[in-house]
Amino acid sequence: MSSVEYLGPPPAQRNTKHRRIANELRTHPQVWGVVRKPASLDSAASAARAIRDARLPAYAPAGSFEAVARTVTEGGTTEYRVYARYIGAAEPAA
């Protein structure tokens, strides 16, 4: 049995998980959604910055998404969440 799985060429776009998330957020403008639950607050904060700054092409242009990291404790369980929402493309400077 081969240890290689032959599935054809990679998709044309990169960051396909993020592309799906960004597209979903675009269909619900102004609505906050939890897009990630990382293992640490530092990871959550880094992911939120990457979304806001459009360091991942799926969230371009920069400023078209808001994102924040939060620590949430419910029922004695603590988790870290990245909340994001689409606010629209930034207006060009006049």
Side-chain angles (χ1 to χ4, degrees), residues 4-12:
V4 177
E5 187 175 5
Y6 296 94
L7 299 174

